[in-house]
Amino acid sequence: MKNKFTRIILLVLIFISNSIFGQIELPINFENNQITSENFVDFNGGAGYVIYNPEIDDDNPSEYVGTIIRDEGDVWAGSYIELDNYLDFSTNSSINMKVFSPYPGLMVKFKIEGDIGEFPSEPATERDAFTTKTEEWELMSWDFSGEASNTYRKLVLMFDFGNLGDGTFASTFYFDDISQSNPSNGLSQM
């Protein structure tokens, strides 16, 4: 009887710990402590945090978002999040993310890395996209078609790539709702 009771308690504790400390996987929305500030790994002058959404609106009603503040360092400063599982690009080859930028035309480099070696890890590949709005949420997308599944698990974010940050509002970038999608929306290519 005692052994059965111990097993039941153990199963309950495993269930509770999995509910409280969920895995880091896509989609990421920064709600319910899915990602905390401690999950960001900063590099070369970037600093990532989870904060209250500075611009709650219809485009992004989330209470919490991620932010990266760039302050000096290098022109590639940023932060990354390591997923618990590898990305699967077999169906959904685009990565999407809501971005709130201080100005349009800002390059957002989205790099994905494997876990071979120290950071920067191999294999690695990256895509660029440019913001189009000023102090508004917009959905950005990076197409990783042709990349291998079960290879990459680090999401590396570099905002305003190519410029030095200065720690001010102009070097502070907000993001939310990182997810994967099918860029063709299920349509066959001609």
Side-chain angles (χ1 to χ4, degrees):
M1 187 73 145
K2 183 178 177 184
N3 216 4
K4 184 178 179 182
F5 180 74
T6 304
R7 278 188 263 158
I8 291 171
I9 295 295
L10 182 61
L11 287 174
V12 169
L13 289 174
I14 289 170
F15 176 77
I16 290 171
S17 67
N18 283 339
S19 298
I20 295 172
F21 304 107
Q23 286 194 323
I24 299 175
E25 58 188 20
L26 295 182
I28 293 172
N29 64 14
F30 301 103
E31 303 298 322
N32 303 315
N33 290 319
Q34 177 197 22
I35 302 285
T36 65
S37 295
E38 289 77 29
N39 295 120
F40 284 97
V41 179
D42 305 325
F43 59 90
N44 299 83
Y49 306 97
V50 176
I51 64 164
Y52 286 109
N53 184 349
E55 187 64 36
I56 295 175
D57 60 18
D58 290 340
D59 292 325
N60 190 2
S62 296
E63 187 175 356
Y64 295 98
V65 298
T67 186
I68 292 179
I69 302 170
R70 296 185 59 225
D71 193 5
E72 297 184 4
D74 292 304
V75 297
W76 57 83
S79 192
Y80 73 86
I81 298 168
E82 188 166 350
L83 302 174
D84 288 331
N85 297 305
Y86 292 99
L87 292 166
D88 180 1
F89 291 120
S90 61
T91 304
N92 297 318
S93 59
S94 284
I95 297 180
N96 309 302
M97 181 171 68
K98 289 180 184 173
V99 173
F100 186 91
S101 169
Y103 54 89
L106 176 127
M107 180 192 290
V108 181
K109 185 174 290 290
F110 202 118
K111 183 178 181 183
I112 54 176
E113 295 184 0
D115 53 8
I116 299 171
E118 295 296 317
F119 180 79
S121 305
E122 294 296 328
T125 188
E126 57 196 41
R127 304 291 190 273
D128 299 332
F130 294 87
T131 59
T132 62
K133 297 184 177 185
T134 302
E135 297 180 32
E136 292 180 51
W137 286 105
E138 67 179 301
L139 183 64
M140 299 181 74
S141 185
W142 296 263
D143 187 359
F144 288 95
S145 294
E147 294 299 334
S149 292
N150 302 316
T151 303
Y152 306 101
R153 55 189 268 181
K154 292 178 184 171
L155 307 177
V156 184
L157 302 172
M158 294 173 273
F159 288 87
D160 200 16
F161 186 85
N163 296 307
L164 285 177
D166 62 10
T168 67
F169 175 76
S171 293
T172 301
F173 313 100
Y174 305 100
F175 54 97
D176 198 10
D177 298 331
I178 306 170
S179 64
Q180 281 187 272
S181 69
N182 183 331
S184 65
N185 292 321
L187 302 174
S188 298
Q189 292 194 359
M190 300 181 108

